[in-house]
């Protein structure tokens, strides 16, 4: 937390471990996190398909499956009829 090791190094005093200062290490961690976030977003967006539903369409709702749920349970509920749109896109 304070830029020092929480223990005495078992290595002899001649060997110095070059750790970056704590602020620099934190900045490196932030930069790597942002980089991996961008990569994951590109992967997600590559396969994302935007579904446009109209009033009157029939849709299925995917159930949340618990780890020990029945194998024969249907993964979807429905069909349900779209009654109205709540998004602001096509008002």
């Amino acid at each position: 937390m304070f830029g020092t090791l929480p223990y005495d190094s078992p290595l002899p005093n001649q060997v110095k471990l070059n750790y970056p200062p704590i602020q620099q290490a934190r900045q490196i961690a932030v930069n790597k996190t942002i980089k991996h976030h961008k990569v994951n977003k590109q992967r997600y967006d590559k396969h994302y398909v935007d579904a446009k539903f109209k009033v009157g369409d029939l849709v299925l709702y995917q159930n949340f499956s618990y780890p020990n749920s029945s194998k024969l349970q249907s993964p979807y509920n429905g069909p349900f009829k779209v009654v109205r749109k709540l998004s602001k896109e096509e008002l």
Side-chain angles (χ1 to χ4, degrees), residues 55-84:
V55 174
D57 285 351
L58 295 176
V59 295
L60 295 174
Y61 176 77
Q62 186 174 9
N63 290 332
F64 177 78
S65 60
Y66 294 99
N68 294 329
S69 63
S70 172
K71 288 191 229 180
L72 301 177
Q73 182 182 4
S74 174
Y76 298 99
N77 277 346
F80 297 103
K81 189 173 187 179
V82 176
V83 178
R84 63 183 168 135

Side-chain angles (χ1 to χ4, degrees), residues 10-89:
L11 301 174
N13 288 338
Q14 295 92 359
V15 178
K16 296 286 184 182
L17 300 176
N18 292 328
Y19 289 107
I22 193 72
Q23 294 300 332
Q24 183 182 357
R26 286 181 179 157
Q27 189 59 44
I28 290 169
V30 168
N31 292 341
K32 286 186 177 185
T33 301
I34 291 170
K35 178 184 170 189
H36 286 288
H37 173 75
K38 288 179 182 178
V39 169
N40 287 337
K41 181 176 174 14
Q42 287 176 346
R43 283 188 196 138
Y44 176 82
D45 289 346
K46 184 178 178 182
H47 299 287
Y48 177 76
V49 178
D50 189 22
K52 305 255 182 191
F53 299 113
K54 295 176 258 169
V55 174
D57 285 351
L58 295 176
V59 295
L60 295 174
Y61 176 77
Q62 186 174 9
N63 290 332
F64 177 78
S65 60
Y66 294 99
N68 294 329
S69 63
S70 172
K71 288 191 229 180
L72 301 177
Q73 182 182 4
S74 174
Y76 298 99
N77 277 346
F80 297 103
K81 189 173 187 179
V82 176
V83 178
R84 63 183 168 135
K85 287 189 77 156
L86 298 178
S87 66
K88 297 179 182 178
E89 290 179 359

